[in-house]
């Protein structure tokens, strides 16, 4: 039995619950206060219910943090480490998977603001001969409309053996692009949306070409240091997560098989498409700053928010997702999946309220679907999404793997 904290003593079996309200940063703009007032208060009990379900469905632990004006709401359930049964905390660092794509897109859009990049120019203008079609533009890459095949589909056709084959492997960008180009393209450039990690490997190569330095340098100098993101790291090809962190557990394809501790890995198969490490606080800070206009010019942010409809609840811009919730509110951010971790990181249109929810498992469609319910509780308030938790999530179809998120 593990003690719980709800402002009073409680016992909650194998789960841990922490519901706290703590001081947070003050609103930067007066307009944010008016926008925040238009949203109902976060449903903290609803958040806890979502995380409780996530743990019941197989995640060792789950966390959620909502930053809303002067308040932060912290909710946790379960364990950060199955072996030690240490309780999970919203301060724990974790692998954020494809949430990395927003960071990569912002760097390239900043370079566009600096007139070092034309979004509608062919990728081959900057990286001659890289791609087989001069019609593929930078914008196509950032919006997943290039038609470049996602190499990770084949890499992780079997979840555990595929992962173990690359756990300690170090790829070059061009190695991964070559894997993609060995397969037919999914569509003509610009013809359709087709999510592909290959696009953001190309993005990383563009960043390094245009800056003349490793992508880590761009993340640190342009985003991590200016925003004070003390928990955000690009350690590739190191396999370790620095400091206090969650252990991530990969769910095998075989029902009932033991979870695989996937915490230590190079994440080299993902790199600029999904290898960043961060925390709930840092991700909320990042998306709040982005949507408040602190990272890009108004014109570039507007381009980032030019969305293509993906399904009934989701649209995609340039490294940014929009999710439409049951209460009519739309939120902006990204989902992430990498072996051992699922992440939802989203903020309101004006950045005044932000949520990061994460679970330390992957390859579990029920957990992925249920975790999406945290958005409803965080942005729609009490009673929102009752009985629909998970329906709004993009659950992987047959043959899709965590890398697709």
């Amino acid at each position: 039995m593990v003690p719980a904290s709800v402002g009073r003593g409680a016992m909650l079996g194998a789960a841990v619950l922490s519901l706290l309200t703590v001081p947070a940063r003050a609103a930067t703009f007066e307009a944010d206060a008016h926008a925040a007032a238009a949203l109902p208060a976060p449903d903290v009990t609803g958040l806890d219910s979502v995380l409780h379900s996530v743990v019941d469905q197989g995640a060792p632990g789950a966390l959620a943090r909502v930053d809303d004006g002067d308040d932060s709401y912290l909710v946790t359930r379960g364990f950060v480490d199955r072996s030690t049964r240490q309780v999970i905390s919203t301060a724990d660092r974790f692998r954020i998977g494809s949430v990395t794509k927003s960071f990569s897109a912002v760097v390239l859009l900043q370079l566009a603001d600096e007139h070092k990049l034309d979004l509608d120019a062919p990728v081959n203008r900057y990286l001659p001969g890289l791609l087989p079609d001069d019609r593929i533009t930078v914008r196509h890459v950032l919006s997943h409309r290039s038609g470049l095949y996602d190499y990770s589909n084949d890499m992780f056709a079997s979840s555990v053996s595929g992962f173990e084959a690359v756990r300690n492997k170090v790829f070059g960008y061009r190695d991964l692009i070559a894997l993609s180009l060995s397969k037919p393209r999914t569509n003509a450039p610009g013809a359709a949306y087709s999510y592909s990690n290959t696009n953001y490997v190309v993005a990383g190569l563009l960043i390094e070409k245009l800056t003349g330095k490793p992508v880590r340098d761009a993340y640190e100098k342009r985003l991590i240091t200016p925003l004070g993101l003390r928990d955000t790291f690009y350690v590739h090809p190191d396999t370790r997560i620095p400091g206090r962190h969650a252990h991530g557990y990969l769910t095998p394809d075989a029902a009932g098989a033991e979870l695989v501790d996937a915490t230590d890995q190079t994440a080299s198969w993902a790199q600029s498409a999904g290898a960043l490490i961060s925390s709930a606080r840092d991700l909320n800070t990042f998306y709040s700053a982005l949507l408040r206009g602190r990272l890009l010019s108004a014109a570039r942010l507007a381009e980032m928010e030019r969305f293509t409809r993906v399904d009934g609840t989701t649209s995609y811009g340039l490294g940014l997702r929009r999710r439409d919730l049951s209460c009519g509110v739309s939120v902006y951010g990204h989902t992430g999946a990498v072996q051992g971790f699922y992440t939802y990181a989203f903020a309101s249109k004006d950045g005044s309220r932000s949520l990061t929810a994460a679970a330390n498992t992957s390859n579990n469609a029920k957990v992925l679907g249920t975790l999406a319910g945290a958005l409803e509780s965080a942005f729609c308030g009490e009673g929102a999404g009752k009985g629909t938790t998970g329906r709004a999530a993009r659950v992987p179809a047959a043959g899709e793997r965590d890398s697709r998120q």
Side-chain angles (χ1 to χ4, degrees):
M1 303 286 282
V2 181
S5 173
V6 197
R8 62 183 185 280
M11 303 296 286
L12 293 172
V16 180
L17 166 63
S18 174
L19 307 180
L20 305 173
T21 303
V22 298
R25 59 193 179 281
T28 305
F29 304 108
E30 183 179 353
D32 290 339
H34 296 296
L39 290 172
D43 181 4
V44 181
T45 301
L47 276 174
D48 174 57
S49 179
V50 168
L51 300 193
H52 186 282
S53 295
V54 163
V55 171
D56 283 348
Q57 291 166 348
L63 61 90
R65 173 173 176 143
V66 179
D67 286 308
D68 184 35
D70 293 328
D71 296 315
S72 292
Y73 302 87
L74 315 180
V75 188
T76 65
R77 282 269 180 178
F79 301 102
V80 73
D81 186 332
R82 295 178 72 217
S83 59
T84 65
R85 296 181 74 79
Q86 178 183 355
V87 300
I88 199 166
S89 165
T90 55
D92 288 321
R93 296 165 180 167
F94 50 90
R95 298 188 184 278
I96 66 173
S98 286
V99 179
T100 302
K101 291 179 172 67
S102 290
F103 285 73
S104 298
V106 168
V107 170
L108 283 177
L109 289 167
Q110 287 181 344
L111 290 167
D113 265 335
E114 295 162 13
H115 307 291
K116 297 175 182 177
L117 177 71
D118 180 348
L119 294 177
D120 294 308
V123 170
N124 285 348
R125 174 186 295 181
Y126 306 102
L127 298 165
L130 178 71
L131 301 180
D133 192 332
D134 286 339
R135 295 177 298 166
I136 298 175
T137 67
V138 178
R139 190 185 302 276
H140 290 149
V141 164
L142 294 181
S143 60
H144 293 294
R145 297 173 65 84
S146 69
L148 294 171
Y149 180 79
D150 190 344
Y151 59 84
S152 64
N153 288 343
D154 300 326
M155 192 176 283
F156 303 120
S158 174
S159 63
V160 175
S161 62
F163 168 62
E164 294 295 356
V166 301
R167 179 197 279 262
N168 295 305
K169 192 167 183 177
V170 178
F171 293 94
Y173 287 115
R174 291 176 185 269
D175 297 330
L176 297 172
I177 294 167
L179 291 175
S180 169
L181 296 181
S182 70
K183 294 296 184 75
R185 280 173 278 162
T186 57
N187 51 262
Y193 168 91
S194 182
Y195 192 92
S196 173
N197 285 294
T198 308
N199 289 312
Y200 276 79
V201 172
V202 173
L205 196 55
L206 279 167
I207 290 169
E208 295 200 345
K209 175 68 172 182
L210 294 169
T211 64
K213 294 182 178 179
V215 71
R216 176 192 290 111
D217 185 84
Y219 294 145
E220 290 176 351
K221 290 188 175 181
R222 291 173 174 271
L223 301 173
I224 293 172
T225 298
L227 293 177
L229 306 182
R230 60 176 180 264
D231 299 317
T232 303
F233 303 91
Y234 186 81
V235 302
H236 173 267
D238 194 347
T239 61
R240 296 163 295 178
I241 301 176
R244 174 170 177 158
H245 62 271
H247 281 243
Y249 297 92
L250 172 62
T251 306
D253 295 329
E258 186 70 13
L259 297 179
V260 174
D261 190 328
T263 309
D264 292 341
Q265 57 172 296
T266 62
S268 190
W269 67 267
Q271 299 192 49
S272 50
L276 274 171
I277 293 159
S278 194
S279 68
R281 183 196 74 91
D282 278 10
L283 293 183
N284 285 358
T285 298
F286 168 72
Y287 280 114
S288 177
L290 172 62
L291 291 162
R292 286 176 170 175
R294 291 179 54 195
L295 301 179
L296 298 170
S297 68
R300 293 302 176 198
L301 181 57
E303 288 191 273
M304 196 177 196
E305 295 175 343
R306 190 182 301 169
F307 294 102
T308 297
R309 175 66 67 178
V310 174
D311 57 32
T313 61
T314 308
S315 301
Y316 204 91
L318 302 183
L320 191 69
R321 291 189 187 275
R322 185 187 73 207
R323 297 200 44 127
D324 303 324
L325 305 181
S326 66
C327 59
V329 171
S330 292
V331 292
Y332 303 78
H334 216 287
T335 49
V338 64
Q339 291 89 355
F341 302 95
Y342 282 139
T343 304
Y344 284 82
F346 286 83
S348 58
K349 183 67 168 64
D350 63 357
S352 62
R353 182 179 299 178
S354 50
L355 160 80
T356 294
N360 58 343
T361 196
S362 64
N363 199 40
N364 183 324
K366 288 184 178 179
V367 167
L368 177 63
T370 297
L371 193 62
L375 297 171
E376 297 281 340
S377 295
F379 295 99
C380 293
E382 187 174 355
K386 295 294 184 183
T388 63
T389 300
R391 284 213 302 261
R394 179 186 178 277
V395 179
E400 292 187 34
R401 300 294 164 193
D402 296 328
S403 58
R404 294 297 300 272
Q405 302 307 304

